[in-house]
């Protein structure tokens, strides 16, 4: 089975060709970074227009790299949400048009499901597994029990973790996108223990997260330094922030592991996914935790942690081979929780979010 995947939910335009033998035949990603950098964040209308401008060319490139034509495809999968609606509409319409013209099945993929199932594309991980999904719009712990079967164990009550990285980067004058820049600054730190930051939710019952207090604490340090940071100040603060986030994530994961093992005595892997999973300090902290808990640890290669279309094609394959596809009147969904039974969270990362997934 060969599937074309399309991703347009945020600021990456992406197309990929993936087979059900877990082979990525092509995976092209066009970052719109330069379009949004002057604004310090993603501008929805600029993103939508850039997707419209580039998507057809990217699809053509992916097909050429895979050495196939439309006639070789078995299905077309596109991100159907959650995300910036203008971009999602561009991707969904393009996929529908190809599906209609070629009489192919169309699969609308939940972007979060794309991240959630990536470890099965890269490492053939078996169900069930415990997933820490850490991206620009989300921070969730989920028991992944099957395709379409996600049970949320915890979520953020305020900011998403990637959002916290991005805002901290802004406070430190590092620019956008924040995550990779904070990681680089932290690696240069000469005195990473210099700044004390609060560890929100550490040791609290449950598996929820909170990051807004951490961001406020970083701001306070910046103000105490008179608002003007030396390179050393910036690097040390970035290191303190990153270490704190890693510790909080590990603490919440440790709790979730206990619950996961109660429900699944046969065990399963600890999997991390989403853009923040590209962070090496966080990966290594989680790897240590998993080792202590005697759980296999799976983190996809960096390129498949951040937004891409291979994960969308793969999630499409997972659903399609279970006999699922979507009608051509599918309506794009700006919000689309993975576990609809979980209570909505009041706050940016919950009900009001949908900005980044
Ligand atoms: O999954 P993703 O590519 O986009 C969605 O949000 O769906 O995640 C993007 C987020 C951004 O907030 C970015 O700053 C963060 O992931 N990120 C990182 C790193 N690379 C990307 N955060 C920390 N360390 C990194 N190396
Ligand atoms: Zn994402």
């Amino acid at each position: 089975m060969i599937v074309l995947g399309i991703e347009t939910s945020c600021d990456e335009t992406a197309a990929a060709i993936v087979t059900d033998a877990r082979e990525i035949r092509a995976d092209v990603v066009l970052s719109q970074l330069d379009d949004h950098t002057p604004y310090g964040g993603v501008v929805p209308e600029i993103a939508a227009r850039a997707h419209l401008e580039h998507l057809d060319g990217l699809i053509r490139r992916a097909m050429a790299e895979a050495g196939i034509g439309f006639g070789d495809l078995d299905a077309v999968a596109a991100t159907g949400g959650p995300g910036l609606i203008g971009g999602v509409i561009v991707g969904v319409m393009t996929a529908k048009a190809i599906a209609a013209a070629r009489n192919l099945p169309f699969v609308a993929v939940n972007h979060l499901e794309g991240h959630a199932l990536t470890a099965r594309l890269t490492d053939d991980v078996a169900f069930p597994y415990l997933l820490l999904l850490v991206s620009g719009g989300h921070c969730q712990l989920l028991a992944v029990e099957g395709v379409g079967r996600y049970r949320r164990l915890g979520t953020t009550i305020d900011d998403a973790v990637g959002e916290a990285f991005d805002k901290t980067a802004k406070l430190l004058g590092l620019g956008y996108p924040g995550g990779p820049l904070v990681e680089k600054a932290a690696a240069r730190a000469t005195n990473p223990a210099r700044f004390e930051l609060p560890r929100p939710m550490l040791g609290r019952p449950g598996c929820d997260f909170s990051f807004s207090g951490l961001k406020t604490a970083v701001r306070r340090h910046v103000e105490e330094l008179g608002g003007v940071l030396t390179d050393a100040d910036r690097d040390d603060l970035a290191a303190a922030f990153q270490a704190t986030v890693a510790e909080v994530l590990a603490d919440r994961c440790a709790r979730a592991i206990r619950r996961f093992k109660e429900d699944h005595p046969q065990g399963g892997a600890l999997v991390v996914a989403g853009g923040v999973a590209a962070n090496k300090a966080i990966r290594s902290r989680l790897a240590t935790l998993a080792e202590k808990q005697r759980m296999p640890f799976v983190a996809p290669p960096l390129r498949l942690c951040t937004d891409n279309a291979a994960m969308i094609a793969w999630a499409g394959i997972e659903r399609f081979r279970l006999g699922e596809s979507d009608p051509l009147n599918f309506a794009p969904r700006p919000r689309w929780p993975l576990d609809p039974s979980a209570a909505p969270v009041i706050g940016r990362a919950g009900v009001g979010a949908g900005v980044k997934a």
Side-chain angles (χ1 to χ4, degrees):
M1 190 191 297
I2 302 186
V3 171
L4 164 67
I6 293 172
E7 159 61 35
T8 56
S9 68
C10 194
D11 57 347
E12 263 95 23
T13 315
I17 306 290
V18 177
T19 75
D20 60 345
R22 300 178 31 239
E23 189 192 356
I24 301 175
R25 299 271 297 267
D27 173 23
V28 291
V29 180
L30 180 81
S31 167
Q32 303 174 1
L33 205 59
D34 294 345
D35 299 330
H36 301 287
T37 299
Y39 307 94
V42 181
V43 182
E45 184 171 337
I46 293 177
R49 288 175 184 271
H51 291 306
L52 189 62
E53 192 179 330
H54 296 298
L55 184 57
D56 54 343
L58 281 183
I59 292 172
R60 215 173 301 128
R61 226 176 89 197
M63 306 276 288
E65 276 180 25
I68 60 164
F70 286 113
D72 298 309
L73 292 174
D74 293 292
V76 186
T79 297
L84 297 173
I85 196 64
V88 175
I89 288 172
V90 171
V92 164
M93 271 313 293
T94 306
K96 284 178 177 179
I98 297 169
R102 292 286 165 165
N103 201 20
L104 290 169
F106 160 69
V107 189
V109 170
N110 182 321
H111 177 88
L112 302 173
E113 185 165 45
H115 282 302
L117 298 176
T118 298
R120 287 170 54 78
L121 166 63
T122 57
D123 293 82
D124 206 11
V125 177
F127 297 124
Y129 53 89
L130 177 64
L131 173 74
L132 174 66
L133 178 56
V134 278
S135 71
H138 293 268
C139 186
Q140 302 187 2
L141 277 156
L142 295 148
V144 180
E145 292 165 348
V147 177
R149 290 175 51 210
Y150 308 94
R151 218 153 39 77
R152 199 180 78 193
L153 303 179
T155 188
T156 178
I157 57 170
D158 41 55
D159 293 351
V161 60
E163 194 181 354
F165 266 97
D166 294 335
K167 287 179 176 170
T168 295
K170 221 173 191 172
L171 285 170
L172 299 181
L174 284 168
Y176 160 86
L181 295 171
V182 170
E183 181 169 12
K184 276 198 199 104
R188 290 190 300 258
T190 47
N191 190 0
R194 184 172 145 211
F195 295 100
E196 276 272 346
L197 293 173
R199 284 155 165 63
M201 309 297 267
L202 200 80
R204 292 257 197 95
C207 307
D208 285 339
F209 303 85
S210 164
F211 293 102
S212 72
L214 188 53
K215 176 192 64 197
T216 309
V218 172
R219 177 179 298 126
R220 209 170 306 123
H221 279 298
V222 172
E223 284 165 4
E224 275 165 18
L225 291 163
V228 189
L229 305 184
T230 64
D231 287 352
D233 294 338
R234 181 174 301 141
D235 298 347
D236 290 344
L237 255 176
F241 171 81
Q242 182 176 272
T244 305
V245 170
E247 193 179 338
V248 170
L249 291 178
D251 172 77
R252 306 282 85 195
C253 274
R255 286 184 169 274
I257 287 171
R258 249 172 271 153
R259 278 178 61 185
F260 178 80
K261 283 183 172 170
E262 276 166 26
D263 296 341
H264 302 286
Q266 78 275 31
L270 173 64
V271 173
V272 63
V276 181
N279 185 288
K280 293 192 200 71
I282 290 173
R283 287 162 89 102
S284 91
R285 185 74 185 76
L286 295 172
T288 308
L289 171 69
E291 201 184 325
K292 259 194 220 144
Q293 299 278 346
R294 294 179 205 288
M295 288 169 93
F297 176 66
V298 179
L302 301 192
R303 164 177 183 88
L304 293 175
C305 285
T306 46
D307 287 350
N308 64 86
M311 69 178 191
I312 302 304
W314 176 255
I317 288 172
E318 291 255 32
R319 290 198 40 218
F320 187 60
R321 65 187 181 187
L322 294 175
E324 293 176 30
S325 64
D326 292 280
L328 289 185
N329 65 359
F330 168 86
R333 299 181 61 173
R335 293 191 251 290
W336 189 354
L338 271 184
D339 177 358
S341 72
V345 178
I346 309 302
R348 263 156 305 188
V351 172
V355 175
K356 273 209 114 194

